[in-house]
Amino acid sequence: MHRTMARHYWIRAGILFALSWYIVHLVKTGNLYLYIVPRMMPYVKCGALALFVLAGFYAFLAIQRSDDSPSEPDCECGHETPASVSGNVWLYGLFAIPLVLGFVLPDRLMGSEVVAVKGMNLKAAAASQGQIIRTPEPVDDQPTGQPVKPEPSESFEPSEQPVQPEMSDTPETTPEQPVKQSAEQPIDELDKLFPEDEYGMDYAKLGKRLYPYDTIHVHTVGYLEMLTMLDLYQANFKGKQIVISGFVYREDDMEQDEFVVSRMAMQCCSADATPYGFLVRWDKGASLKKDTWISMTGTLSTTVYRGNKIIRLEANKIKIIPAPKDPYVYPYYDDFDQISAE
């Protein structure tokens, strides 16, 4: 019995040590970022150390059980190993097979193959559905001087027409008694272009700050937030230049000159990675192969794709680039004021 348990302890020690070594291998090769977000790396590295210590503990138990001398009785806690060989192979195979695959298979960037399974997200603001108000569309038969009441909507798309300001609660005045606007609350035209609620406040502030720019650079830092803001306020940024990089992805129903410039976004690890991007139209688009990394400048416009109004970039300049060392983008948890557009 003791020799049997010693074999199990040696197997467990070997698996734990191999798991620890695999994490060290990913760290040394610089490929750990392919599987987890940077903020999780310190915890995973500490986990590798814990696995190594636990492997040593099982090795110690195996040595203790290897001799023929009687030792302390089993605890009889009901966690005995399977009696059959097939049961043991199944049990340890659950851990050993993924580990072997990790060592044997190459570490690869996620690209078009993963996107084809998960589906491309061309509306970054979809996560805000039902939370942000819609800018009212002009209504021809609306009485003069009356505010246009926003209609409930699943997404927020600013109107391309000037928005009538809402009526003030201030009592009506005559020319002899003009209303004086408080210096602390000036009437801001940007507030009309970027309406907000408690959920979209940060995106509205970001939009107001970037609205004066003729060219907006979408960087890795704040990538998701920038795409969401541009998607929420599409009409306000029509005609502006967008500089962005990513890999090429193409759906079968897209035109020959269309493709998506996309990035994979990770919340925690590669299992939750989600592709985001913009549709691009370029007269030489058909020459770009899937998973080709590009840096591009395009004019922001809109189109309808699969029943959704989305952003489309009319490409002005495209350059093929190597894939960046860290190709993924991550949620931004700091102040949006730190997101740069230059």
Side-chain angles (χ1 to χ4, degrees):
M1 173 66 181
H2 296 303
R3 290 185 179 275
T4 300
M5 286 305 303
R7 287 195 294 270
H8 284 286
Y9 287 148
W10 280 121
I11 295 174
R12 296 171 189 178
I15 291 176
L16 291 172
F17 177 78
L19 285 171
S20 176
W21 174 249
Y22 181 61
I23 296 175
V24 173
H25 165 73
L26 291 177
V27 174
K28 292 180 65 177
T29 57
N31 290 330
L32 186 58
Y33 70 89
L34 295 176
Y35 301 97
I36 59 173
V37 298
R39 60 189 175 87
M40 295 296 296
M41 289 185 181
Y43 304 104
V44 173
K45 293 176 181 178
C46 291
L49 178 61
L51 290 172
F52 182 80
V53 172
L54 190 57
F57 173 72
Y58 272 115
F60 172 77
L61 291 180
I63 295 173
Q64 290 290 95
R65 291 296 185 101
S66 295
D67 63 46
D68 295 325
S69 59
S71 59
E72 70 279 356
D74 292 330
C75 64
E76 299 182 356
C77 297
H79 50 254
E80 294 83 2
T81 59
S84 64
V85 175
S86 60
N88 285 299
V89 171
W90 169 256
L91 175 63
Y92 294 121
L94 292 176
F95 301 92
I97 293 176
L99 184 59
V100 171
L101 292 176
F103 278 109
V104 173
L105 298 179
D107 300 316
R108 296 177 54 188
L109 301 180
M110 289 184 290
S112 294
E113 293 180 356
V114 177
V115 179
V117 175
K118 291 178 173 285
M120 175 58 66
N121 190 337
L122 296 175
K123 286 192 67 65
S128 300
Q129 286 186 1
Q131 296 180 343
I132 300 179
I133 61 173
R134 173 190 290 272
T135 301
E137 299 286 347
V139 181
D140 294 335
D141 58 354
Q142 186 72 21
T144 304
Q146 296 295 323
V148 182
K149 185 177 180 181
E151 296 293 334
S153 174
E154 294 183 352
S155 62
F156 168 66
E157 298 174 359
S159 171
E160 300 179 20
Q161 302 295 329
V163 181
Q164 298 182 11
E166 293 188 359
M167 295 182 63
S168 170
D169 294 333
T170 306
E172 295 184 359
T173 58
T174 63
E176 291 77 13
Q177 295 178 328
V179 176
K180 294 184 179 181
Q181 177 67 27
S182 171
E184 297 181 356
Q185 295 180 341
I187 297 177
D188 192 346
E189 293 297 325
L190 287 179
D191 290 338
K192 303 173 185 178
L193 292 173
F194 296 91
E196 64 188 56
D197 63 6
E198 58 180 318
Y199 301 102
M201 184 183 303
D202 290 333
Y203 295 106
K205 290 173 59 178
L206 179 62
K208 293 174 186 178
R209 181 164 62 86
L210 301 185
Y211 183 70
Y213 287 82
D214 292 326
T215 300
I216 298 175
H217 294 255
V218 180
H219 299 289
T220 299
V221 177
Y223 178 92
L224 292 173
E225 291 68 29
M226 189 73 80
L227 260 65
T228 301
M229 184 276 295
L230 291 173
D231 189 23
L232 289 173
Y233 305 103
Q234 297 176 14
N236 297 340
F237 291 92
K238 272 189 174 181
K240 294 184 181 291
Q241 300 294 302
I242 307 296
V243 180
I244 191 172
S245 62
F247 64 91
V248 173
Y249 175 74
R250 186 177 291 105
E251 292 282 2
D252 294 335
D253 60 349
M254 291 180 178
E255 301 294 335
Q256 289 292 323
D257 59 352
E258 290 182 336
F259 61 90
V260 180
V261 56
S262 52
R263 298 290 287 267
M264 299 295 295
M266 283 200 295
Q267 299 280 343
C268 178
C269 62
S270 57
D272 61 27
T274 304
Y276 289 86
F278 284 146
L279 183 66
V280 179
R281 183 169 64 180
W282 188 42
D283 56 357
K284 300 179 182 178
S287 64
L288 293 174
K289 297 181 180 179
K290 286 185 178 181
D291 295 318
T292 301
W293 277 81
I294 62 172
S295 175
M296 64 159 292
T297 302
T299 304
L300 192 149
S301 64
T302 59
T303 188
V304 176
Y305 179 68
R306 295 182 179 177
N308 295 308
K309 185 179 180 182
I310 63 171
I311 289 175
R312 182 171 65 188
L313 302 180
E314 307 294 338
N316 302 321
K317 180 181 177 182
I318 289 183
K319 178 183 178 182
I320 297 178
I321 61 173
K325 182 179 179 181
D326 185 355
Y328 304 128
V329 295
Y330 314 99
Y332 188 76
Y333 297 106
D334 294 331
D335 193 334
F336 280 19
D337 289 341
Q338 304 299 318
I339 298 178
S340 174
E342 299 178 334

